Amino acid sequence: MASKDRILRQKEETRSNILEAAYAIVKEEGWQGLSMRKIADKIEYTAPIIYEYFSNKEAILNELTGKGFIKLTKELQEAKDRFEKPEEQLEAMWMAYWDFAFTDTEMYQVMFGVQMNCCQQQCSAQERPYKLFTSVIAEIMKNSNPTDEVIKQKYFTFFSVIHGLIAINIINKSEIMETINNQILKDAIGGIIKSIQ
């Protein structure tokens, strides 16, 4: 039994090494620089071994996307937990979302398709940030007894503005734009929160 556990542990370690190598390549060369051959070279394996774990590059992107949504959800939860009032929670969560996009830009790009095609398959972790946000929005709006559709609409109002600002900053990197957009972000979050109270 011990050797079976060891084999499973080694397989998981190899899988993890493949994902780490893929992400390291992306950090150096961008998503367009990622290939199965480069991953194999980076971890000193042959390409066929990589294919034993992932059928193609898309499978690696899907796996990384899932990991990205898990990480984002954790950061959103931590931001939420720092505050008691739902309005403050929501603002902190959107600011954490913004920070995630710029501290882990390559991950954000693959998760949301900024300057690249994101994965075709949806991963289960993709719903977690949405559920966190909508639960806080529902709490803020509870006195008006909103429908799920209204809550969803309010979430997408936030998402559209914030994702749009993030995409602008990723595509047109500029310190002046970042400062302006940061103020626009804070104004937008505050304005939308006031509109749903």
Side-chain angles (χ1 to χ4, degrees), residues 59-91:
I60 291 173
L61 295 180
N62 283 335
E63 187 83 18
L64 288 171
T65 298
K67 288 185 177 298
F69 277 108
I70 290 167
K71 183 179 179 196
L72 174 60
T73 301
K74 181 177 180 270
E75 291 179 18
L76 294 175
Q77 186 67 56
E78 287 170 0
K80 179 184 178 206
D81 292 344
R82 288 197 306 269
F83 296 93
E84 291 292 319
K85 289 182 170 178
E87 295 83 1
E88 291 172 347
Q89 290 175 336
L90 192 57
E91 182 175 356

Side-chain angles (χ1 to χ4, degrees), residues 29 47 60 65 85 93 99 124 128 135 149 163 183 186:
E29 303 179 33
I60 291 173
T65 298
K85 289 182 170 178
M93 289 165 66
D99 291 342
S124 58
R128 293 177 189 170
S135 69
E149 196 56 40
H163 175 70
Q183 189 55 53
K186 288 178 183 174

Side-chain angles (χ1 to χ4, degrees), residues 130-157:
Y130 171 78
K131 287 179 179 175
L132 256 177
F133 278 118
T134 54
S135 69
V136 176
I137 291 169
E139 180 63 26
I140 293 171
M141 297 182 73
K142 69 181 178 192
N143 291 339
S144 63
N145 200 21
T147 64
D148 289 344
E149 196 56 40
V150 168
I151 293 166
K152 183 178 183 178
Q153 178 188 5
K154 296 301 179 186
Y155 164 78
F156 280 108
T157 300

Side-chain angles (χ1 to χ4, degrees), residues 94-108:
W94 282 115
M95 294 307 291
Y97 182 95
W98 175 270
D99 291 342
F100 175 86
F102 294 105
T103 55
D104 216 340
T105 303
E106 294 81 8
M107 188 63 75
Y108 188 87

Side-chain angles (χ1 to χ4, degrees), residues 138-195:
E139 180 63 26
I140 293 171
M141 297 182 73
K142 69 181 178 192
N143 291 339
S144 63
N145 200 21
T147 64
D148 289 344
E149 196 56 40
V150 168
I151 293 166
K152 183 178 183 178
Q153 178 188 5
K154 296 301 179 186
Y155 164 78
F156 280 108
T157 300
F158 276 108
F159 177 78
S160 299
V161 170
I162 294 163
H163 175 70
L165 290 172
I166 289 168
I168 288 167
N169 276 291
I170 289 173
I171 294 166
N172 302 313
K173 289 189 184 212
S174 150
E175 286 184 33
I176 294 168
M177 281 304 293
E178 193 172 325
T179 305
I180 292 169
N181 282 335
N182 209 355
Q183 189 55 53
I184 293 169
L185 171 72
K186 288 178 183 174
D187 292 348
I189 291 170
I192 299 168
I193 288 173
K194 281 181 186 155
S195 78

